[in-house]
Coordinates of all heavy atoms in Angstrom, one line a residue:
V1 N 0.5 -3.2 -0.9 CA -0.1 -3.2 0.5 C 1.1 -2.8 1.4 O 2.0 -3.6 1.6 CB -0.6 -4.6 0.9 CG1 -1.1 -4.5 2.3 CG2 -1.7 -5.0 0.0
P2 N 1.1 -1.6 2.0 CA 2.1 -1.3 3.0 C 1.9 -2.1 4.3 O 0.7 -2.1 4.8 CB 2.0 0.2 3.2 CG 0.7 0.6 2.5 CD 0.2 -0.5 1.7
V3 N 2.9 -2.7 4.8 CA 2.8 -3.5 6.0 C 3.5 -2.9 7.1 O 4.7 -2.5 6.9 CB 3.3 -5.0 5.7 CG1 3.2 -5.8 7.0 CG2 2.5 -5.6 4.6
K4 N 2.9 -2.7 8.2 CA 3.6 -2.2 9.4 C 4.5 -3.3 10.0 O 3.9 -4.2 10.6 CB 2.6 -1.6 10.4 CG 3.3 -1.0 11.6 CD 2.3 -0.3 12.5 CE 3.1 0.3 13.7 NZ 2.2 0.9 14.7
S5 N 5.7 -3.2 9.8 CA 6.7 -4.3 10.2 C 7.4 -3.9 11.5 O 7.3 -2.7 11.9 CB 7.6 -4.6 9.1 OG 8.4 -3.5 8.8
S6 N 8.1 -4.8 12.1 CA 8.9 -4.5 13.3 C 9.9 -3.5 13.1 O 10.3 -2.8 14.1 CB 9.4 -5.8 13.9 OG 10.3 -6.4 12.9
N7 N 10.5 -3.4 11.9 CA 11.5 -2.4 11.7 C 11.0 -1.1 11.0 O 11.7 -0.3 10.5 CB 12.6 -3.0 10.8 CG 12.2 -3.3 9.4 OD1 11.0 -3.5 9.2 ND2 13.1 -3.5 8.5
S8 N 9.7 -0.9 11.2 CA 9.0 0.2 10.5 C 9.0 1.4 11.3 O 9.1 1.4 12.5 CB 7.6 -0.2 10.2 OG 6.9 0.8 9.6
I9 N 8.9 2.6 10.6 CA 8.7 3.9 11.3 C 7.2 4.1 11.4 O 6.7 4.9 10.6 CB 9.5 5.0 10.5 CG1 10.9 4.7 10.4 CG2 9.3 6.3 11.3 CD1 11.7 5.6 9.4
D10 N 6.6 3.4 12.3 CA 5.1 3.5 12.4 C 4.4 3.2 11.1 O 3.2 3.6 11.0 CB 4.8 4.9 13.0 CG 3.8 4.7 14.2 OD1 3.6 3.6 14.7 OD2 3.2 5.8 14.5
G11 N 5.0 2.5 10.2 CA 4.3 2.2 8.9 C 4.4 3.3 7.9 O 4.2 3.0 6.7
W12 N 4.8 4.5 8.2 CA 4.8 5.6 7.3 C 5.9 5.3 6.2 O 5.7 5.7 5.0 CB 5.1 6.9 7.9 CG 3.9 7.4 8.5 CD1 3.5 7.5 9.8 CD2 2.7 8.0 7.8 NE1 2.2 8.1 10.0 CE2 1.8 8.4 8.7 CE3 2.5 8.2 6.4 CZ2 0.5 8.9 8.4 CZ3 1.3 8.7 6.1 CH2 0.3 9.1 7.0
D13 N 7.0 4.7 6.5 CA 8.0 4.4 5.5 C 7.5 3.5 4.4 O 7.7 3.8 3.3 CB 9.3 3.8 6.2 CG 9.0 2.7 7.2 OD1 7.8 2.5 7.5 OD2 10.0 2.0 7.6
S14 N 6.7 2.5 4.8 CA 6.1 1.6 3.8 C 5.1 2.3 3.0 O 5.0 2.2 1.8 CB 5.5 0.4 4.6 OG 6.4 -0.2 5.4
V15 N 4.2 3.1 3.7 CA 3.2 3.8 2.9 C 3.8 4.7 1.9 O 3.4 4.7 0.7 CB 2.2 4.6 3.9 CG1 1.3 5.5 3.1 CG2 1.5 3.7 4.8
L16 N 4.7 5.5 2.3 CA 5.3 6.5 1.4 C 6.1 5.9 0.3 O 6.1 6.3 -0.9 CB 6.1 7.5 2.1 CG 5.3 8.4 3.1 CD1 6.2 9.3 3.9 CD2 4.3 9.3 2.3
S17 N 6.8 4.8 0.6 CA 7.6 4.1 -0.4 C 6.8 3.5 -1.5 O 7.1 3.6 -2.7 CB 8.4 2.9 0.3 OG 9.2 2.2 -0.7
I18 N 5.6 3.0 -1.2 CA 4.7 2.4 -2.1 C 3.9 3.5 -2.9 O 3.6 3.5 -4.1 CB 3.7 1.4 -1.5 CG1 4.6 0.2 -1.0 CG2 2.8 0.8 -2.5 CD1 3.8 -0.8 -0.1
L19 N 3.5 4.5 -2.1 CA 2.6 5.6 -2.6 C 3.3 6.5 -3.6 O 2.8 6.9 -4.7 CB 2.1 6.4 -1.5 CG 1.1 7.5 -1.8 CD1 -0.2 6.9 -2.3 CD2 0.8 8.3 -0.5
Q20 N 4.6 6.8 -3.4 CA 5.3 7.9 -4.1 C 6.1 7.3 -5.3 O 7.3 7.5 -5.5 CB 6.3 8.6 -3.2 CG 5.6 9.4 -2.1 CD 4.9 10.6 -2.6 OE1 3.8 10.4 -3.1 NE2 5.4 11.7 -2.4
M21 N 5.3 6.7 -6.2 CA 6.0 6.1 -7.4 C 6.2 7.2 -8.5 O 5.4 8.1 -8.6 CB 5.1 4.9 -8.0 CG 5.1 3.7 -7.0 SD 6.7 3.0 -6.7 CE 7.2 2.6 -8.4
P22 N 7.2 7.0 -9.3 CA 7.4 8.0 -10.3 C 6.4 7.9 -11.5 O 5.9 6.7 -11.6 CB 8.9 7.7 -10.8 CG 9.1 6.3 -10.5 CD 8.3 6.0 -9.2
G23 N 6.2 8.9 -12.2 CA 5.4 8.8 -13.4 C 5.7 7.7 -14.3 O 6.9 7.5 -14.6
G24 N 4.8 6.9 -14.8 CA 5.0 5.9 -15.7 C 5.1 4.5 -15.0 O 5.1 3.5 -15.7
V25 N 5.2 4.5 -13.7 CA 5.2 3.2 -12.9 C 4.2 3.3 -11.8 O 4.5 3.4 -10.7 CB 6.6 3.0 -12.3 CG1 6.8 1.6 -11.7 CG2 7.7 3.2 -13.4
P26 N 2.9 3.1 -12.2 CA 1.8 3.2 -11.2 C 1.8 2.0 -10.3 O 2.0 0.9 -10.7 CB 0.6 3.4 -12.0 CG 0.9 2.7 -13.3 CD 2.4 2.9 -13.5
V27 N 1.5 2.2 -9.0 CA 1.1 1.2 -8.1 C -0.1 1.7 -7.3 O -0.1 2.7 -6.7 CB 2.2 0.9 -7.1 CG1 1.8 -0.1 -6.0 CG2 3.5 0.4 -7.8
A28 N -1.2 1.0 -7.5 CA -2.4 1.3 -6.7 C -2.1 1.0 -5.2 O -1.6 -0.1 -4.9 CB -3.6 0.5 -7.1
T29 N -2.3 1.9 -4.3 CA -1.9 1.7 -2.9 C -3.0 1.7 -2.0 O -3.9 2.6 -2.1 CB -0.8 2.8 -2.5 OG1 0.2 2.8 -3.5 CG2 -0.2 2.5 -1.2
V30 N -3.1 0.7 -1.1 CA -4.2 0.7 -0.1 C -3.6 1.1 1.2 O -2.5 1.4 1.3 CB -4.8 -0.7 -0.1 CG1 -5.5 -1.1 -1.4 CG2 -3.8 -1.8 0.3
A31 N -4.5 1.2 2.2 CA -4.1 1.7 3.5 C -3.1 0.7 4.2 O -2.9 -0.4 3.8 CB -5.3 1.8 4.4
L32 N -2.4 1.2 5.2 CA -1.5 0.4 6.0 C -2.2 -0.8 6.5 O -3.3 -0.7 7.0 CB -1.0 1.3 7.2 CG 0.1 0.6 8.0 CD1 1.4 0.4 7.2 CD2 0.4 1.5 9.2
N33 N -1.6 -2.0 6.1 CA -2.2 -3.3 6.5 C -3.5 -3.5 5.8 O -4.3 -4.4 6.3 CB -2.3 -3.5 8.0 CG -1.0 -3.6 8.7 OD1 0.1 -3.8 8.0 ND2 -1.0 -3.6 10.0
G34 N -3.8 -2.9 4.7 CA -5.1 -2.9 4.0 C -5.2 -4.0 3.0 O -5.8 -3.8 1.9
A35 N -4.8 -5.2 3.3 CA -4.8 -6.3 2.3 C -6.2 -6.7 1.9 O -6.4 -7.1 0.8 CB -4.0 -7.5 2.9
K36 N -7.2 -6.6 2.8 CA -8.6 -7.0 2.4 C -9.0 -6.1 1.2 O -9.5 -6.5 0.2 CB -9.5 -6.8 3.6 CG -10.9 -7.2 3.3 CD -11.8 -7.1 4.5 CE -13.2 -7.5 4.3 NZ -14.0 -7.5 5.5
N37 N -8.8 -4.7 1.3 CA -9.1 -3.8 0.3 C -8.3 -4.1 -1.0 O -8.9 -4.0 -2.1 CB -9.0 -2.4 0.6 CG -10.2 -1.8 1.4 OD1 -11.2 -2.5 1.5 ND2 -10.1 -0.7 1.9
A38 N -7.1 -4.5 -0.9 CA -6.3 -4.9 -2.1 C -7.0 -6.1 -2.8 O -7.1 -6.1 -4.0 CB -4.9 -5.3 -1.7
G39 N -7.5 -7.1 -2.0 CA -8.1 -8.2 -2.6 C -9.4 -7.8 -3.3 O -9.7 -8.3 -4.4
I40 N -10.2 -6.9 -2.7 CA -11.4 -6.5 -3.3 C -11.1 -5.7 -4.5 O -11.8 -5.9 -5.6 CB -12.2 -5.6 -2.2 CG1 -12.7 -6.4 -1.1 CG2 -13.4 -4.9 -2.9 CD1 -13.2 -5.7 0.1
L41 N -10.1 -4.8 -4.5 CA -9.8 -4.1 -5.7 C -9.3 -5.0 -6.8 O -9.7 -4.8 -8.0 CB -8.6 -3.0 -5.4 CG -8.2 -2.2 -6.6 CD1 -9.3 -1.4 -7.2 CD2 -7.1 -1.2 -6.0
A42 N -8.5 -6.0 -6.5 CA -8.1 -7.0 -7.6 C -9.3 -7.6 -8.1 O -9.4 -7.8 -9.4 CB -7.2 -8.0 -6.9
A43 N -10.3 -8.0 -7.3 CA -11.5 -8.6 -7.8 C -12.3 -7.7 -8.7 O -12.9 -8.1 -9.7 CB -12.4 -9.1 -6.6
Q44 N -12.4 -6.4 -8.3 CA -13.1 -5.4 -9.1 C -12.4 -5.2 -10.5 O -13.1 -5.1 -11.5 CB -13.2 -4.1 -8.4 CG -14.1 -4.1 -7.2 CD -14.1 -2.9 -6.4 OE1 -13.0 -2.3 -6.1 NE2 -15.3 -2.4 -5.9
I45 N -11.1 -5.2 -10.5 CA -10.3 -5.1 -11.8 C -10.7 -6.4 -12.7 O -11.1 -6.2 -13.8 CB -8.8 -5.1 -11.6 CG1 -8.4 -3.7 -10.9 CG2 -8.1 -5.3 -12.9 CD1 -7.0 -3.7 -10.4
I46 N -10.7 -7.5 -12.0 CA -11.1 -8.8 -12.8 C -12.6 -8.7 -13.2 O -12.9 -9.0 -14.4 CB -10.8 -10.0 -12.0 CG1 -9.3 -10.2 -11.9 CG2 -11.4 -11.2 -12.6 CD1 -8.8 -11.1 -10.8
G47 N -13.4 -8.2 -12.3 CA -14.8 -8.1 -12.5 C -15.2 -7.2 -13.7 O -16.3 -7.3 -14.3

């Protein structure tokens, strides 16, 4: 979950840092401040 923080570059630094993972190290990435969708996705994985 990329979080728009006080030291952020409009949140883009967080989004790109989480999104641009190298091959072999996947991270499912939701929208900026998208924690609700992260919770739903986790529930779907469990479901």
Side-chain angles (χ1 to χ4, degrees):
V1 179
V3 176
K4 185 175 180 184
S5 60
S6 60
N7 65 340
S8 178
I9 304 169
D10 227 13
W12 279 106
D13 47 349
S14 306
V15 171
L16 294 174
S17 178
I18 298 171
L19 186 65
Q20 296 290 78
M21 292 301 298
V25 188
V27 174
T29 309
V30 296
L32 185 64
N33 291 348
K36 182 176 183 179
N37 275 352
I40 294 167
L41 180 56
Q44 290 174 317
I45 291 168
I46 292 167

